[in-house]
């Protein structure tokens, strides 16, 4: 291959995973304050699959109206610094790093350029590349919702809907670490895994609708956006909070309305839209959880770079357990 070329997954437009093509593109070059990273592993996430479809349409205001502004997919990455810009002083060639590119995407590729001011940290030796690549999806997002937004307190009751997914497996552990009594909602086949991660109780969504129970929850974290604030209000405590990272128009309206009146609140946030400094601070705290043995990463499947479209199809089925990782280099 030409030294100025690399392999990457490029979205030709919005649509099904079939728009994702494995092809050769120009290898990026770092600017004065950037680093060039040889990607060892990257992530494929539910958010990635939604971005490929271009839905919800409001997201196109940020990622491109008619087609993706950054056609190479993926945001999470872990790799090795290949080259540095002339003004870079905090990273060196050969450093192991990980992080995410937020709205810059471009990580489902052999190389990616990341500014040193971006969401990037040195990778701990105890953290494998495959796990590190997924850290800014499940772990960082769940920590942002539970620690920063909900400010979960010891003794509170937290319910995690979609407890077996990337965000769910993280949320169970983080809520437990914060001292909450944790209930996970998942299928019966995943109940054992969810319990092993620290859930005090597990509800099989195929047998029970948690919104019809009599138990009251201080926080409901709907990681998959399958319920709604309207339904969840029935089981929210007096000053309870419904959280979801999945933007839907009704949720947006409910968030606005609940901020104006009523004690029960609906909250949505796109974690990646926070300032890079905010995300790096949160990520440092998440890494500390890992170092202290409080946070495990569940990996369901690993795919080679050329099979990202297949990974997206699998994620879209809605039954993945934990994270899906793209292995780019050995």
């Amino acid at each position: 291959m030409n030294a100025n070329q690399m392999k990457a997954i490029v979205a030709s437009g919005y649509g099904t995973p079939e728009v994702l093509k494995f092809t050769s593109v120009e290898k990026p070059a770092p600017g004065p304050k950037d680093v060039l990273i040889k990607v060892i592993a990257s992530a494929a996430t539910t958010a990635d699959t939604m971005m490929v479809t271009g839905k919800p349409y409001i997201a196109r205001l940020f990622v491109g109206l008619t087609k993706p502004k950054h056609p190479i997919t993926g945001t999470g990455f872990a790799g090795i610094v290949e080259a540095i810009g002339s003004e870079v002083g905090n990273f060196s060639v050969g450093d192991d790093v990980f992080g995410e590119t937020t709205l810059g995407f471009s990580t489902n590729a052999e190389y990616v350029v990341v500014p040193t001011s971006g969401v990037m940290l040195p990778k701990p030796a105890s953290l494998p590349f495959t796990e590190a690549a997924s850290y800014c999806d499940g772990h960082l997002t769940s920590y942002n919702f539970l620690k920063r937004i909900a400010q979960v307190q010891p003794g509170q009751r937290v319910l995690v809907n979609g407890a077996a997914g990337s965000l769910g497996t993280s949320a169970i552990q983080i809520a437990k670490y914060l001292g909450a009594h944790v209930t996970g909602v998942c299928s019966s086949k995943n109940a054992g895994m969810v319990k092993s991660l620290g859930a005090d109780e597990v509800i099989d969504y195929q047998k029970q609708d948690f919104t019809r129970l009599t138990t009251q929850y201080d926080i409901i974290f709907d990681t998959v956006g399958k319920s709604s604030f309207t339904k969840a209000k029935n089981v929210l405590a007096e000053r309870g909070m419904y959280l979801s990272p999945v933007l839907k128009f009704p949720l947006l309206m409910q968030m606005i309305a609940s901020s104006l009146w009523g004690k029960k609140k609906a909250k949505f946030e796109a974690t990646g839209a926070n300032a890079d400094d905010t995300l790096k601070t949160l990520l440092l705290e998440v890494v500390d959880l890992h170092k202290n043995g409080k946070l495990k990463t569940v990996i369901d499947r690993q795919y080679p770079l050329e099979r990202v479209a297949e990974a997206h199809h699998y994620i879209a089925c809605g039954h993945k357990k934990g994270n899906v990782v793209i292995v780019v280099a050995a």
Side-chain angles (χ1 to χ4, degrees):
M1 184 189 294
N2 186 313
N4 294 320
Q5 295 282 301
M6 68 174 184
K7 291 295 186 180
I9 297 297
V10 176
S12 57
Y14 292 122
T16 65
E18 279 67 34
V19 304
L20 301 177
K21 306 300 179 186
F22 178 60
T23 187
S24 294
V25 298
E26 184 176 355
K27 181 179 174 180
K33 298 181 180 180
D34 301 330
V35 299
L36 175 68
I37 299 164
K38 178 180 174 60
V39 179
I40 303 299
S42 57
T45 69
T46 300
D48 290 341
T49 64
M50 293 175 68
M51 290 300 100
V52 168
T53 66
K55 298 176 183 176
Y57 291 110
I58 191 172
R60 297 193 186 194
L61 295 174
F62 306 97
V63 299
L65 291 177
T66 59
K67 62 180 181 180
K69 289 190 291 186
H70 300 283
I72 298 176
T73 56
T75 58
F77 69 88
I80 303 169
V81 175
E82 179 94 352
I84 61 174
S86 59
E87 298 178 24
V88 174
N90 53 340
F91 291 98
S92 301
V93 172
D95 286 351
D96 292 346
V97 294
F98 77 111
E100 73 165 333
T101 56
T102 63
L103 295 178
F105 297 92
S106 308
T107 66
N108 292 155
E110 291 182 309
Y111 295 90
V112 65
V113 165
V114 180
T116 56
S117 60
V119 186
M120 178 172 57
L121 295 175
K123 184 187 75 65
S126 59
L127 188 61
F129 284 104
T130 49
E131 292 186 18
S134 70
Y135 252 60
C136 292
D137 181 44
H139 293 328
L140 182 60
T141 301
S142 291
Y143 191 77
N144 176 54
F145 271 91
L146 296 174
K147 181 67 161 58
R148 190 180 70 84
I149 299 175
Q151 299 180 11
V152 173
Q153 301 297 311
Q156 288 189 314
R157 299 186 72 91
V158 174
L159 180 140
V160 179
N161 192 31
S166 175
L167 274 67
T169 52
S170 298
I172 293 292
Q173 298 175 79
I174 291 167
K176 195 65 183 174
Y177 168 76
L178 294 173
H181 179 281
V182 185
T183 299
V185 180
C186 62
S187 64
S188 58
K189 68 178 181 180
N190 293 323
M193 177 188 69
V194 170
K195 287 280 285 186
S196 74
L197 293 173
D200 297 289
E201 300 176 43
V202 176
I203 296 172
D204 181 353
Y205 71 84
Q206 296 170 324
K207 296 179 180 179
Q208 286 184 300
D209 180 350
F210 76 85
T211 66
R212 295 180 178 274
L213 300 178
T214 56
T215 306
Q216 298 284 290
Y217 299 97
D218 299 289
I219 308 292
I220 293 177
F221 185 22
D222 186 3
T223 68
V224 287
K226 295 295 186 182
S227 187
S228 68
F229 177 60
T230 301
K231 292 180 179 178
K233 282 174 69 175
N234 298 326
V235 290
L236 276 176
E238 183 180 4
R239 296 184 179 276
M241 188 180 298
Y242 171 85
L243 310 168
S244 180
V246 182
L247 179 60
K248 296 179 181 178
F249 185 73
L251 176 59
L252 185 60
M253 295 298 100
Q254 291 157 0
M255 189 171 96
I256 295 171
S258 68
S259 69
L260 297 174
W261 60 81
K263 295 179 181 179
K264 300 179 182 183
K265 304 298 181 184
K267 297 281 186 179
F268 160 81
E269 184 174 285
T271 297
N274 280 287
D276 288 349
D277 285 346
T278 298
L279 293 175
K280 279 199 288 189
T281 298
L282 292 171
L283 187 55
L284 281 167
E285 294 177 18
V286 169
V287 170
D288 282 341
L289 293 185
H290 157 75
K291 290 179 177 178
N292 291 322
K294 302 296 184 182
L295 193 59
K296 299 176 182 177
T297 302
V298 177
I299 295 180
D300 185 352
R301 295 188 180 185
Q302 300 182 31
Y303 293 85
L305 182 61
E306 61 268 24
R307 290 169 57 192
V308 167
E310 185 180 335
H312 277 229
H313 271 298
Y314 175 64
I315 293 168
C317 290
H319 299 298
K320 74 178 177 72
K321 298 179 285 292
N323 300 274
V324 172
V325 175
I326 306 302
V327 179
V328 181

